[in-house]
Amino acid sequence: MAVDKKSDKKEVKSLLFARESSGLVREINWLTAMFISMGFIAFYVLPISYLTGLSVSPNGLIVLGALLSWIVLLPHSYLWTKISEKYQRSAADYVFASRVLPPAIGVGVGLVFGISQMIFDAAIVYDDVGQLQTGFSALAVNFGNPYASIASTLSNPYVILLVGALTFSTVIAINIFLPKYTNHIMGGVTIIALITFVLAGALMHFVAPSAINSAGFDYSSIVSSASKAVPLFTNPILATLGLMVFTASFLPFVNGATSVAGEVRGGSRSFKIGVFGALVVSGLLITYFIASSVSSLQPAFFIGAGVLSSTSSSYSALLNPIFDTVVAFKSLPLDLFLVIGSYFWYLAIMFAVALFVSRYFMAIAFDKAMPTIVSYVSERFHSPVVAHLIDEVITIGSLVAITVTPLSAVFFYGMDTADAMALLFGFIIVIIASIVANIRGNGMELGNRGLMLVISVIDLVVMSLYGYIWFGNSTVYLGIVMNPETWTIIASPFIAGIVIYYVMRWYRLRKEGIDIKYTFTEIPPE
């Protein structure tokens, strides 16, 4: 009797992969891909981070630093654009790295991206409620009660937990049960966030010192306090670079659209706009916002507020443009729109991160390096239900730790390292994979080998420089001291990924007779 070798090959392949198709369809267009990327970059909150950083680098060139923050990342964004174009699969950069480098390294990268962003998302959920509290505090300055009472209520840790948990649970529920409408809902949230961001940026140009005085602060004293700022770098060029590092917590995260590359329709054009274009648009908006902010309220104001915030938390509100614009423009409809709209800044980020995290867990499980159930896509809802639920449980659990347990300080310590995890054991390793692929030239390269090699090396230099400044001045940029315990926290998801790969390889080989190393010799079907 003849053996059907073709049939045998199909059977082996079906054993290697969790399924022939992820169950997710190509329904994301270029605009939604761009919105996902812009949300994942989290540029909406960057002006707050950047203006806070002025007290660290008071001698830096403010607008130039904002402009260069995204310009130096253009090679980085272009590299991820090419990864997305060539590997149109869920978590495309994970797929790429795990096929170029040893599989265990790739699984470590995928786990780093997933875990670090759950930690980051818990912070975003927490800060979202904090943004509302700041906004209502500004409303209280103008209109008194009931806004003062709302602001006071929103400062209660149990209220923060309740509002935050309900908000994030709603985002997850929409992703699980309404995937057909998720893109439309996220698009609506993003449009409101963008309108509010542009409006707040424009209004910052007209905020007068008298508005700060009317809020109960002494503008002149705040400006005078700027002289007490101790520059981290004495050289203006290094000081400008020091300002740019404050954007490195968010701007390098250009892989929002990359995470859902298997669901984007429109081919190369969609990824050029969705990844590369998103960074350019976000970067221009950030530069515009920061330039507008320092055009009326002089830089010394933000420097002084940053100095004073270390002694009194009330001054931190002045570093939030929504507080400044609301107290300056005493129009209740406008002020309410600014406050509620700034809540949508964080909501847009949550939608993007929820998509991102689920796709990385699903992709790893798709390669059988995690239990297959994690890659389960509901036939009814067409969403990765289990992956979303993992995100829900861990993020809400983290939020509980932040708000109502004695572990708050410890968790924030860990949260400060989340971006460091992604930089060191995510982005840099994927960049190294690109260098290796383009040197080998065995079909894994991302385009013109010479061009992509140059771009990858430039990107590696930029990311390494950011990492050097981050870790060399960790108490300033990360709020932590680099010691063996810190390095263990930062490296733990990557190490866990390597361990999980070998454990799952052993388990699959013993229980199913499958060596999952062969999974990583081909690109998963979608």
Side-chain angles (χ1 to χ4, degrees):
M1 182 176 179
V3 177
D4 188 347
K5 293 183 178 180
K6 190 174 182 181
S7 176
D8 286 348
K9 285 181 180 178
K10 284 184 177 179
E11 186 177 349
V12 171
K13 189 176 179 183
S14 68
L15 287 172
L16 286 174
F17 289 105
R19 59 180 57 79
E20 286 297 313
S21 170
S22 68
L24 303 174
V25 296
R26 292 188 180 276
E27 58 185 9
I28 296 176
N29 59 28
W30 66 267
L31 183 61
T32 303
M34 186 172 75
F35 283 169
I36 291 170
S37 284
M38 291 173 71
F40 197 63
I41 288 172
F43 78 94
Y44 308 98
V45 299
L46 267 178
I48 300 172
S49 175
Y50 193 88
L51 293 172
T52 302
L54 295 186
S55 61
V56 175
S57 291
N59 52 335
L61 303 175
I62 298 170
V63 178
L64 180 62
L67 186 65
L68 290 176
S69 289
W70 61 273
I71 289 178
V72 299
L73 290 173
L74 290 177
H76 180 70
S77 186
Y78 184 75
L79 174 57
W80 258 261
T81 300
K82 300 304 287 184
I83 292 173
S84 305
E85 287 177 356
K86 182 159 184 176
Y87 299 94
Q88 295 184 29
R89 302 291 186 270
S90 297
D93 44 2
Y94 152 75
V95 172
F96 170 64
S98 62
R99 269 64 182 176
V100 174
L101 302 175
I105 300 294
V107 173
V109 168
L111 205 64
V112 163
F113 278 136
I115 290 178
S116 67
Q117 293 320 291
M118 284 191 292
I119 296 173
F120 170 74
D121 219 10
I124 288 297
V125 174
Y126 181 88
D127 289 342
D128 192 17
V129 184
Q131 181 67 22
L132 279 178
Q133 197 276 335
T134 298
F136 279 104
S137 294
L139 284 167
V141 170
N142 293 344
F143 307 106
N145 273 324
Y147 306 106
S149 297
I150 295 173
S152 176
T153 301
L154 288 173
S155 64
N156 183 300
Y158 289 97
V159 173
I160 294 172
L161 174 60
L162 177 63
V163 174
L166 286 174
T167 300
F168 186 71
S169 296
T170 300
V171 170
I172 293 295
I174 290 171
N175 273 278
I176 291 177
F177 300 113
L178 298 172
K180 278 189 175 181
Y181 305 102
T182 299
N183 293 336
H184 301 295
I185 295 170
M186 181 172 59
V189 168
T190 301
I191 288 170
I192 293 172
L194 283 172
I195 292 172
T196 314
F197 186 88
V198 172
L199 178 60
L203 293 177
M204 280 299 289
H205 179 69
F206 301 99
V207 176
S210 58
I212 305 302
N213 291 329
S214 71
F217 299 93
D218 186 342
Y219 182 85
S220 297
S221 297
I222 294 171
V223 171
S224 298
S225 297
S227 61
K228 299 176 184 177
V230 180
L232 185 62
F233 305 102
T234 55
N235 184 293
I237 296 176
L238 289 177
T240 303
L241 181 59
L243 283 176
M244 293 164 59
V245 176
F246 279 101
T247 69
S249 296
F250 306 120
L251 278 185
F253 288 82
V254 297
N255 52 339
T258 305
S259 68
V260 292
E263 301 159 63
V264 176
R265 67 173 186 264
S268 176
R269 175 178 175 270
S270 291
F271 290 114
K272 283 186 173 67
I273 299 172
V275 182
F276 193 78
L279 176 67
V280 174
V281 173
S282 298
L284 287 171
L285 287 173
I286 292 166
T287 306
Y288 142 80
F289 200 117
I290 291 169
S292 180
S293 297
V294 297
S295 63
S296 57
L297 296 173
Q298 54 188 298
F301 165 75
F302 295 104
I303 296 168
V307 171
L308 292 171
S309 65
S310 62
T311 58
S312 174
S313 60
S314 62
Y315 287 96
S316 298
L318 299 174
L319 298 167
N320 190 319
I322 292 300
F323 184 91
D324 298 333
T325 53
V326 168
V327 297
F329 297 91
K330 298 176 173 59
S331 166
L332 184 58
L334 173 64
D335 293 347
L336 281 172
F337 179 69
L338 289 170
V339 172
I340 302 302
S342 67
Y343 166 79
F344 278 71
W345 296 356
Y346 295 82
L347 203 57
I349 298 169
M350 283 184 228
F351 269 102
V353 176
L355 280 172
F356 181 94
V357 170
S358 66
R359 271 44 175 189
Y360 279 84
F361 283 140
M362 186 183 74
I364 296 171
F366 197 30
D367 286 334
K368 286 190 170 287
M370 270 186 170
T372 305
I373 192 173
V374 177
S375 64
Y376 167 69
V377 176
S378 167
E379 292 183 9
R380 178 181 178 186
F381 299 113
H382 296 286
S383 60
V385 175
V386 177
H388 276 310
L389 291 176
I390 291 172
D391 186 12
E392 165 86 353
V393 170
I394 294 178
T395 302
I396 297 299
S398 301
L399 186 63
V400 171
I402 294 173
T403 52
V404 296
T405 76
L407 296 174
S408 176
V410 175
F411 190 83
F412 270 116
Y413 178 90
M415 229 170 2
D416 288 331
T417 67
D419 294 324
M421 290 176 189
L423 178 71
L424 265 187
F425 297 104
F427 291 118
I428 285 181
I429 292 180
V430 174
I431 296 167
I432 291 171
S434 177
I435 293 172
V436 170
N438 286 290
I439 289 175
R440 286 178 181 169
N442 58 356
M444 300 296 288
E445 63 270 19
L446 301 168
N448 182 288
R449 289 172 61 189
L451 174 63
M452 293 310 302
L453 188 58
V454 169
I455 286 174
S456 300
V457 170
I458 292 172
D459 193 20
L460 181 61
V461 170
V462 172
M463 293 293 105
S464 298
L465 182 59
Y466 274 156
Y468 177 77
I469 296 174
W470 258 7
F471 298 122
N473 303 278
S474 62
T475 55
V476 172
Y477 291 106
L478 298 173
I480 56 178
V481 176
M482 298 309 299
N483 53 38
E485 290 78 14
T486 306
W487 284 113
T488 300
I489 292 173
I490 292 173
S492 58
F494 182 68
I495 295 170
I498 294 174
V499 172
I500 287 171
Y501 167 78
Y502 284 111
V503 169
M504 289 303 295
R505 184 182 175 191
W506 170 82
Y507 175 82
R508 300 282 191 189
L509 195 58
R510 185 180 177 206
K511 296 291 184 180
E512 302 172 4
I514 299 171
D515 190 341
I516 65 171
K517 74 176 183 179
Y518 296 113
T519 304
F520 296 89
T521 61
E522 54 184 295
I523 306 303
E526 280 279 330

